C-alpha cells in the first residue's frame, strides 16, 4: 500500500504564497493519480486539483490561475504551489492517491493526514 505525508502548511496573510508537498512511501506514485482536497470547518470536503497518471488535470474554478500541481516521480513527491492566497482558502488540505483518481473523494484509495492552511485578511 501507499502511505502519504503532507507538509508545508502554515499561517500566512492574504496575497502570500505556500507550497504544499505530498510524499509517498511504500511504493511509487508513478502509476497513481493524485488529488488535493480541502475541508474548511462546517463545510464538505472539496476537490482542489487532480492530476491523473496519464497527465490530465482538473482545477477547481476557485483556484484556477492561482494554484499549480506538479509531480516529481523520481522523488516520489507531488507539490501544490498556492499563490495569491485568499482567506477563503483556509482549510485542512489533504493529499490522496488512487489508480482511478477523479473529482470524487470516493475514487481514491490512500489519504494523508492533512496539513492546515490558514490565510488571514
Amino acid at each position: 500500500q501507499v502511505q502519504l505525508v503532507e507538509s508545508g502548511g502554515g499561517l500566512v496573510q492574504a496575497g502570500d504564497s505556500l507550497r504544499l508537498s505530498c510524499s509517498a512511501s511504500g511504493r511509487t506514485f508513478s502509476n497513481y493519480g493524485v488529488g488535493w482536497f480541502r475541508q474548511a470547518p462546517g463545510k464538505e470536503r472539496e476537490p482542489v486539483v487532480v492530476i491523473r497518471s496519464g497527465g490530465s488535470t482538473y482545477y477547481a474554478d476557485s483556484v484556477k490561475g492561482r494554484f499549480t500541481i506538479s509531480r516529481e516521480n523520481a522523488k516520489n513527491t507531488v507539490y501544490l504551489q498556492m499563490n495569491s492566497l485568499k482567506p477563503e482558502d483556509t482549510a485542512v488540505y489533504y493529499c490522496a492517491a488512487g489508480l482511478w483518481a477523479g473529482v470524487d473523494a470516493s475514487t481514491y484509495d490512500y489519504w494523508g493526514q492533512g496539513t492546515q492552511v490558514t490565510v488571514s485578511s
Side-chain angles (χ1 to χ4, degrees), residues 81-93:
Q81 180 66 44
M82 310 164 67
N83 297 328
S84 302
L85 284 163
K86 304 175 180 179
E88 51 262 45
D89 295 319
T90 296
V92 177
Y93 283 71

Side-chain angles (χ1 to χ4, degrees), residues 1 7 19 29 34-35 43-45 48 51 58 64 69 71 81 88 96 105 107 113 116 121:
Q1 61 180 0
S7 63
R19 188 175 74 162
F29 265 133
V34 177
K43 296 184 178 180
E44 296 183 354
R45 187 171 300 185
V48 179
I51 183 167
Y58 160 85
K64 194 173 300 182
I69 190 170
R71 63 193 304 169
Q81 180 66 44
E88 51 262 45
T107 62
Q113 294 182 340
Q116 177 71 47
S121 60

Side-chain angles (χ1 to χ4, degrees), residues 43-121:
K43 296 184 178 180
E44 296 183 354
R45 187 171 300 185
E46 64 176 357
V48 179
V49 57
V50 175
I51 183 167
R52 299 286 297 273
S53 60
S56 62
T57 58
Y58 160 85
Y59 287 89
D61 288 341
S62 60
V63 306
K64 194 173 300 182
R66 299 188 298 121
F67 291 8
T68 304
I69 190 170
S70 62
R71 63 193 304 169
E72 296 187 52
N73 288 333
K75 297 182 179 180
N76 226 21
T77 301
V78 172
Y79 304 98
L80 180 63
Q81 180 66 44
M82 310 164 67
N83 297 328
S84 302
L85 284 163
K86 304 175 180 179
E88 51 262 45
D89 295 319
T90 296
V92 177
Y93 283 71
Y94 298 90
C95 176
L99 294 175
W100 191 262
V103 297
D104 193 322
S106 66
T107 62
Y108 293 85
D109 302 302
Y110 308 103
W111 291 82
Q113 294 182 340
T115 184
Q116 177 71 47
V117 173
T118 303
V119 184
S120 63
S121 60

Side-chain angles (χ1 to χ4, degrees), residues 17-55:
S17 297
L18 283 173
R19 188 175 74 162
L20 306 183
S21 298
C22 174
S23 297
S25 62
R27 60 180 300 161
T28 64
F29 265 133
S30 61
N31 293 327
Y32 290 79
V34 177
W36 286 95
F37 292 75
R38 67 186 182 187
Q39 187 166 21
K43 296 184 178 180
E44 296 183 354
R45 187 171 300 185
E46 64 176 357
V48 179
V49 57
V50 175
I51 183 167
R52 299 286 297 273
S53 60

